[in-house]
Amino acid sequence: MLNLERLRTLDALARHGSVSGAAEGLHITTSAVSQQMSKLEREVGQQLLARNGRGVRLTDAGRLLAEHAARILSQVALAQSDLEAHRGQVVGELRLSAFPTAARGLFPTALSALRAAHPALRVRSCELEPERGIAGVVRGDLDLAVVLDWYNKPLPVPDGLVKAPVLDDPADVALPAGHRLAGRAEADLAEFAEDEWITWGEGEFCHEWLVFTLRSKGIEPIIGHRAAETHTQLALVAAGLGVCIAPLLGRHPLPDGVVTVPLKQRVRRHVYVVWRADADRRPSIRAAVQALREAGERVATG
């Protein structure tokens, strides 16, 4: 009889591609991963891992069993979802992630509402950029992830995931109070062609969106500073060091010396939550989605 936890370890190895990655995803030590795999090899009577430089790779038998393991674990998740739905109680553990401004703008309201309504539900949350959040849900490391895309640049969502909208998040430009465009009712992105931009880290989805959008208008952006956190960006704007995109979610309170101007393009982010289709019937998933959407409504209505 194949041991389910050992199959879970094999599945994590296949998905993460390394012992350290599997250990991090499973929240166990690397030695525990190695021990589980040694026991699984003895159970099946075949070698499942082979040395590959300083790391390991799956053998043909390992890849074959890993494919079966993924299907078995999906069926187990579906069975657990059905049982939880049959019981009709919001219990157990729920693991969520959100990009930083959503974690600040949505989680305090949504998670406190969940705790008050469902005290038997244990919620664990963390900040992750959208791509990493989606990857965590696909791997099974997370139950839900709050992610985003932009009005002109969608974020791909893999097959097997379900998504629900949380809110449409309008974005303005934040600029120093003494800026030449401060006080305008609205502005065009082209009017910031000579300004330095304070943006997100290289390779981050929102940074790539900003560069893509400016270049689509024939503007080569001047990147002055980078900061992952919205309030760090706004502090740099307050110091007169540039301008930044300032979505509504998570930007308040604005620091002294910073004003916002709406864009003629009506720039918006679409914020939504994703989860695995095989967990769709879990009452805890449904409760969390509802709490997030209610928190989103509070942000949208002020």
Side-chain angles (χ1 to χ4, degrees):
M1 180 69 70
L2 293 171
N3 180 280
L4 189 61
E5 287 308 308
R6 289 164 201 158
L7 289 180
R8 199 180 303 279
T9 303
L10 175 63
D11 177 65
L13 267 171
R15 288 185 285 104
H16 290 276
S18 68
V19 171
S20 59
E24 182 178 355
L26 294 170
H27 306 291
I28 60 177
T29 64
T30 54
S31 62
V33 171
S34 299
Q35 291 169 12
Q36 291 277 46
M37 290 305 302
S38 295
K39 291 176 181 177
L40 185 57
E41 286 181 329
R42 288 197 296 271
E43 284 179 354
V44 301
Q46 296 188 60
Q47 184 179 359
L48 302 176
L49 296 179
R51 290 286 181 188
N52 185 28
R54 294 185 177 181
V56 295
R57 62 173 176 82
L58 294 179
T59 63
D60 290 344
R63 286 194 296 272
L64 177 64
L65 186 55
E67 291 173 2
H68 285 289
R71 289 193 291 270
I72 291 167
L73 293 170
S74 179
Q75 286 298 311
V76 169
L78 184 59
Q80 290 172 333
S81 178
D82 285 346
L83 285 170
E84 189 175 323
H86 185 266
R87 184 169 51 182
Q89 296 177 344
V90 181
V91 296
E93 182 175 272
L94 204 62
R95 300 156 298 168
L96 298 85
S97 76
F99 57 95
T101 52
R104 182 173 62 251
L106 296 174
F107 275 2
T109 300
L111 300 190
S112 62
L114 272 177
R115 173 173 288 184
H118 308 289
L121 178 66
R122 182 185 182 196
V123 178
R124 294 290 176 263
S125 69
C126 64
E127 289 186 359
L128 287 177
E129 290 300 321
E131 299 93 334
R132 291 187 62 198
I134 285 180
V137 174
V138 169
R139 291 195 304 264
D141 300 337
L142 296 168
D143 297 300
L144 302 104
V146 179
V147 299
L148 66 92
D149 57 23
W150 291 86
Y151 73 104
N152 60 342
K153 192 174 178 63
L155 179 71
V157 176
D159 292 340
L161 298 189
V162 180
K163 70 177 185 178
V166 174
L167 82 154
D168 278 351
D169 187 25
D172 304 325
V173 176
L175 52 157
H179 192 278
R180 68 188 185 282
L181 298 177
R184 286 272 294 271
E186 60 181 15
D188 192 285
L189 270 175
E191 296 181 82
F192 296 95
E194 303 303 318
D195 283 279
E196 286 193 39
W197 284 95
I198 299 162
T199 182
W200 298 267
E202 183 74 38
E204 289 189 17
F205 185 72
C206 289
H207 169 78
E208 297 301 323
W209 165 81
L210 178 62
V211 172
F212 165 82
T213 301
L214 291 172
R215 285 177 177 168
S216 71
K217 297 182 176 299
I219 303 168
E220 185 58 34
I222 303 169
I223 306 299
H225 306 277
R226 299 178 186 275
E229 227 287 332
T230 297
H231 279 270
T232 304
Q233 294 182 9
L234 292 172
L236 293 170
V237 172
L241 298 173
V243 301
C244 74
I245 295 292
L248 177 62
L249 181 62
R251 82 180 179 205
H252 292 298
L254 287 174
D256 292 339
V258 175
V259 297
T260 58
V261 173
L263 288 165
K264 292 179 181 178
Q265 291 83 4
R266 296 296 182 263
V267 172
R268 287 182 177 272
R269 303 190 300 183
H270 307 300
V271 180
Y272 50 96
V273 57
V274 300
W275 64 96
R276 290 171 62 107
D278 56 21
D280 192 47
R281 295 187 62 200
R282 289 176 58 190
S284 56
I285 294 282
R286 292 296 172 182
V289 171
Q290 180 181 349
L292 287 165
R293 297 186 75 171
E294 289 174 354
E297 288 176 6
R298 290 183 60 176
V299 172
T301 58

